[in-house]
Amino acid sequence: MQARGSAEPLSDAEQEAFRSRCRAFLDEHATGNSLDGESDQRGELRLRAARKFQKALADTGLAGLTYPVEYGGAGLTKTHERIWRDTYSEYPDMTFELLISQGMCLPMVAEYGSHDQKQKYLAEMISGNEVWCQMFSEPGAGSDVAGLQTRAERDGDEWVVNGQKVWITLAHLCDYGIIIARTDPTVPKHAGISMFIVPMDAPGVEVRPIHQIDGSTHFNEVFFSDARIGADGLLGDLNNGWRMATAMLMYERVAIGSGTTGGVTTDRSDRLIEEARKRGVSRDPNLRQKLMRLRTLETCLSLVAMRTRAEIKAGRTPGPGGSVGKLATVAIADLQTEVSLAITGASGVAWEDESDAFWQRQALASLSDGIAGGTTEIQRNIIGDRVLGLPRDVSVDSGIPYQDLKVGTQRA
C-alpha cells in the first residue's frame, strides 16, 4: 500500500495550530445540509452540497490529508488526520454522500492503481471534482458476489463488458465506477474475476433508477451492453479481482461502521433526546432506558471505529474487524427507528408538519441497513470465521470451474 504521510511527530504547539486551522474552516463551512423543504429524491442537492464542501476543503489544503502531494493530497501526517477527524466529529457531517467515493474507491485506487492511474484520478477524487460509485452486486450475485455473471472479454486494446449490476448508490450522478467482472470462466469462481475502472458515460453503459419504499431513487440498476473499456482500465492484476473486491468490501464496512468523522459521536441519541424534550416525553422511564442504550451503543461503535482507523493509519488494509462496526451500525439503526417512532407516535407515520416526515423516511431507509455493504448474516459469518476462528460453512462449489456451476441464470 502506498505510504501516506510522514511519521515525524508534531509538537504540542503544531498540533494546536492545526486544530485551530481545522476549527476555523469548519466554523465557516460545516453549517449542515438543510434542504429547506426541497425534494431531493435523487440525491442531487445533497451531493452538490457535499462536493462544494469537499472543494473548499481541497482549496484550503485540508483534503486527502495523508495522500501524497503528487497525487493531489496534502502530504501531511497521520496525526494531522486524527486531529481533523476529532475536530470534525463536533460538527455536522457534510460529506456523507461522498462516503463511497472517498471511503472506498479512493483508497482502492491509491492502493492498487498504477502510477498513471493515480496521477489521472486521485486528485480529482480527493477534491470532489469527480465522484465514483462501486458496482459489485448483481440480480443473481448478492451475498455470493463471487457468483457474478457480468463478463469482460479482451478485444485488442480494449475490454468488452456485458452484464448487469444492481443496487448501485448514486450511479446516476457519478463520473466513474469500480466494477468487478468475470475474465476467466474456466477456473473456480473466486479465481477468474478482475477489477476495472469504468467511465459512467461510456457508450453501452445505461443507468436506470430503482424506486424505493421511502420515495427516493438514489439506488440504480446499471446495464452493460458491449461497453468498451481501455486496457488501462484494469485496476490491479488480471484475475486478482476477488482479493481486491474483498479489500474493497472491508473498506466499505469500515466506511459504514466508522463514518467520516472521528472521536466519540452520539449524533443519533443527541437528536432523539432533543426531540423527546421538545415533545414533552423525556421523563418517560422506559424511553430514557432505550435512549441510554442507544447512546451506549453509539459510544461503543465510536471506540471500535477509532481502533479500526488506527489500523488503517498503520498502513494495513482493513480486516474482518470492519464487520463488527457494520453489524453494530445495523443494531443502532434498528434501535433508533424503534425509539424515534415511540417519541413521535402517530405523527411519525402520518404527519401535517413536514419536519415529522424525516422520522418516517429514516425508519423506512433503515430497512436497507442490514443488506447494504453485506447482509447481517454475512457479517456474522465473517466474524465467526475470521475473528472467532469458528468452523466454516461447507462449500459445495470449491475447486469447480465457474463455467460448470449453476449460478444466477447460468445452467451447466
Side-chain angles (χ1 to χ4, degrees):
M1 183 173 179
Q2 173 75 39
R4 303 180 195 170
S6 167
E8 296 179 8
L10 295 179
S11 68
D12 291 345
E14 289 173 321
Q15 292 187 44
E16 188 55 39
F18 184 70
R19 185 175 290 106
S20 297
R21 179 183 169 192
C22 294
R23 196 172 299 282
F25 175 86
L26 291 165
D27 284 341
E28 180 180 355
H29 296 280
T31 56
N33 285 330
S34 174
L35 299 178
D36 296 324
E38 291 188 70
S39 175
D40 192 29
Q41 292 185 340
R42 293 287 270 163
E44 291 97 336
L45 298 180
R46 288 188 292 271
L47 182 60
R48 187 185 308 159
R51 295 178 77 162
K52 180 180 178 181
F53 179 88
Q54 190 67 25
K55 185 178 187 306
L57 202 63
D59 291 343
T60 312
L62 292 173
L65 288 176
T66 56
Y67 288 92
V69 174
E70 66 174 314
Y71 297 134
L76 298 178
T77 69
K78 297 166 187 175
T79 302
H80 285 98
E81 184 177 26
R82 176 185 58 77
I83 293 171
W84 163 256
R85 284 186 175 275
D86 289 346
T87 309
Y88 190 19
S89 67
E90 302 171 15
Y91 292 79
D93 183 4
M94 301 294 294
T95 56
F96 179 80
E97 282 70 25
L98 296 175
L99 189 68
I100 294 173
S101 186
Q102 298 276 328
M104 297 160 55
C105 298
L106 176 59
M108 286 300 294
V109 176
E111 183 169 353
Y112 295 101
S114 66
H115 172 69
D116 289 344
Q117 287 172 330
K118 292 176 185 179
Q119 283 199 319
K120 180 177 181 180
Y121 299 119
L122 288 190
E124 296 299 294
M125 295 170 72
I126 289 170
S127 67
N129 287 336
E130 293 176 349
V131 180
W132 290 44
C133 61
Q134 173 216 43
M135 295 180 284
F136 281 13
S137 295
E138 300 184 6
S143 296
D144 181 21
V145 175
L148 62 87
Q149 292 180 266
T150 296
R151 64 187 185 277
E153 300 171 317
R154 188 67 181 259
D155 181 18
D157 292 332
E158 295 180 310
W159 291 93
V160 182
V161 182
N162 285 280
Q164 177 187 358
K165 299 293 181 177
V166 71
W167 303 116
I168 310 305
T169 305
L170 296 180
H172 58 293
L173 300 176
C174 288
D175 303 286
Y176 291 90
I178 289 181
I179 184 176
I180 50 175
R182 190 158 306 282
T183 45
D184 187 353
T186 67
V187 296
K189 62 181 183 180
H190 291 84
I193 297 172
S194 300
M195 183 173 283
F196 298 91
I197 297 170
V198 180
M200 296 304 291
D201 61 354
V205 179
E206 180 186 1
V207 179
R208 300 180 191 173
I210 296 175
H211 297 271
Q212 298 155 229
I213 191 173
D214 64 353
S216 65
T217 50
H218 68 280
F219 289 129
N220 304 271
E221 296 177 283
V222 181
F223 295 85
F224 299 88
S225 303
D226 290 331
R228 290 184 173 270
I229 304 171
D232 59 354
L234 177 67
L235 183 59
D237 297 329
L238 181 65
N239 294 326
N240 193 37
W242 178 249
R243 187 174 73 86
M244 295 170 61
T246 300
M248 191 168 187
L249 288 171
M250 293 303 174
Y251 278 121
E252 177 178 21
R253 287 153 193 164
V254 168
I256 293 173
S258 301
T260 57
T261 61
V264 175
T265 57
T266 54
D267 296 345
R268 301 191 193 211
S269 56
D270 288 343
R271 182 164 187 170
L272 286 171
I273 290 170
E274 180 182 352
E275 190 72 19
R277 287 172 176 163
K278 184 175 73 175
R279 294 173 183 265
V281 296
S282 62
R283 305 305 300 174
D284 180 283
N286 291 328
L287 180 60
R288 291 170 69 88
Q289 186 72 16
K290 290 179 179 179
L291 284 167
M292 193 64 242
R293 183 182 170 209
L294 178 60
R295 197 174 190 84
T296 301
L297 286 173
E298 285 187 283
T299 301
C300 291
L301 175 60
S302 295
L303 296 174
V304 170
M306 291 165 66
R307 178 177 178 178
T308 301
R309 283 194 294 267
E311 293 177 350
I312 296 175
K313 291 175 185 176
R316 295 191 292 270
T317 299
S323 292
V324 177
K326 171 63 170 61
L327 200 59
T329 300
V330 176
I332 289 171
D334 289 345
L335 183 56
Q336 179 190 11
T337 297
E338 178 185 345
V339 174
S340 67
L341 295 181
I343 292 173
T344 57
S347 64
V349 180
W351 58 89
E352 294 181 356
D353 186 343
E354 183 61 26
S355 64
D356 288 332
F358 166 82
W359 298 110
Q360 191 224 39
R361 284 195 290 267
Q362 178 273 321
L364 292 173
S366 71
L367 298 173
S368 68
D369 289 338
I371 302 172
T375 65
T376 294
E377 292 77 12
I378 290 295
Q379 306 309 322
R380 287 174 175 155
N381 278 346
I382 291 172
I383 293 169
D385 173 25
R386 300 178 60 187
V387 178
L388 301 178
L390 300 178
R392 300 192 66 177
D393 288 342
V394 175
S395 178
V396 297
D397 54 13
S398 178
I400 300 176
Y402 172 82
Q403 62 189 8
D404 295 335
L405 298 177
K406 296 181 179 180
V407 295
T409 59
Q410 175 176 290
R411 293 294 178 263

